Amino acid sequence: MSPILETRGLSRSFHGLRAVHDVDFALEAGEIRALIGPNGAGKTTFVSMLIGRLAADAGQVIFEGRDITALPDHRRVALGMAYTFQITSVFSRLTAAENVALAARRRLGGDRAAVAREVATALERTGLAGQGEVAAEDLSYGHQRLLEIAMGLAQHPRLLILDEPTQGLAETEIAAFKALVRDLAGQTTILLIEHNMAVVMELAHRITVLNFGEVLAEGTPAAIRADRAVQEAYLGTEAAHG
């Protein structure tokens, strides 16, 4: 099988400084892959090129066998990619249900009954069923993050990219999030950018580690945990900070 998402030689520099350099990456369909690395490793730049918010200097982004390197972000969404931002991007004055409905309409058009069903399902799955009529700006930060995920789910993506999804969540909400990701694993492919290493080690099938804009290591959670180079570059720092 071909990977659902692939990069070949993907590179980007800013003012002569290499942010991402010659990254080859392949994500298999149905996989939960975690992307980790220290601050400044190039994760945000790499993901921004995946979703079309940042142009690559060199290399290719391939989605389901199609070269999408030149496509803008909204065209990539239409092809089946959904992305939740590290900084919440909901419409603050709309209710939670209205936010999800906007996302659902991208796929379902004007079918109001179908949109309403999709909204109810997405809010239920993310633990927000009782928050549908609350304005997004009145939700807690953690619930705004969950609302972003609900908006992503409503699009029925073939690839769901989750950027720091547990940031701001309480422990009980993190437990519910992990259950949701496990449930989703049979329906969509997930790329998880996450600093919470307990979440990463528990959920990911495989982990890719970026450092100084390059792939430092890739493998199963057990292999990554045992990798001395990863320990020195990242995991040792993470352990020191709890």
Side-chain angles (χ1 to χ4, degrees):
M1 291 178 59
S2 299
I4 187 171
L5 179 73
E6 188 176 6
T7 70
R8 299 173 185 169
L10 203 63
S11 301
R12 174 73 192 216
S13 296
F14 296 98
H15 309 294
L17 298 176
R18 295 192 320 194
V20 171
H21 178 64
D22 200 27
V23 170
D24 294 333
F25 175 82
L27 178 62
E28 300 298 328
E31 186 179 7
I32 302 173
R33 175 75 66 86
L35 179 67
I36 68 171
N39 291 332
K43 302 186 299 296
T44 298
T45 300
F46 179 68
V47 172
S48 294
M49 288 189 287
L50 294 183
I51 65 170
R53 291 188 174 270
L54 188 65
D57 292 334
Q60 294 174 290
V61 180
I62 298 165
F63 182 63
E64 294 191 322
R66 174 179 177 176
D67 188 335
I68 63 169
T69 311
L71 291 185
D73 54 354
H74 69 275
R75 292 282 303 279
R76 301 186 195 203
V77 170
L79 290 175
M81 297 175 68
Y83 172 69
T84 67
F85 291 87
Q86 186 172 9
I87 301 172
T88 54
S89 59
V90 298
F91 295 94
S92 61
R93 296 190 177 183
L94 297 183
T95 67
E98 288 168 338
N99 270 281
V100 178
L102 285 175
R105 288 191 195 105
R106 294 176 184 171
R107 182 174 61 87
L108 298 170
D111 188 335
R112 291 187 179 183
V115 168
R117 288 193 297 270
E118 197 62 60
V119 169
T121 298
L123 291 176
E124 177 70 30
R125 293 185 79 180
T126 52
L128 296 174
Q131 306 290 317
E133 298 309 311
V134 177
E137 64 185 355
D138 293 330
L139 294 172
S140 69
Y141 180 78
H143 282 177
Q144 288 184 26
R145 303 313 314 275
L146 293 173
L147 177 56
E148 277 201 319
I149 296 172
M151 293 167 69
L153 296 183
Q155 298 175 56
H156 283 213
R158 289 188 288 283
L159 170 62
L160 180 60
I161 302 175
L162 301 174
D163 197 347
E164 300 291 351
T166 67
Q167 189 175 22
L169 298 187
E171 285 301 317
T172 54
E173 292 169 333
I174 290 175
F177 167 77
K178 290 188 290 188
L180 172 63
V181 170
R182 292 190 191 98
D183 184 48
L184 290 173
Q187 305 166 34
T188 188
T189 305
I190 296 172
L191 178 59
L192 177 68
I193 301 93
E194 179 59 69
H195 276 101
N196 186 324
M197 291 309 299
V199 171
V200 167
M201 292 296 178
E202 193 170 332
L203 289 179
H205 299 145
R206 287 169 56 82
I207 299 170
T208 298
V209 186
L210 285 185
N211 195 34
F212 296 113
E214 299 181 343
V215 175
L216 175 65
E218 200 166 70
T220 64
I224 293 300
R225 192 189 296 275
D227 190 297
R228 187 174 298 277
V230 176
Q231 291 173 5
E232 293 175 354
Y234 185 58
L235 293 183
T237 302
E238 287 295 299
H241 288 82

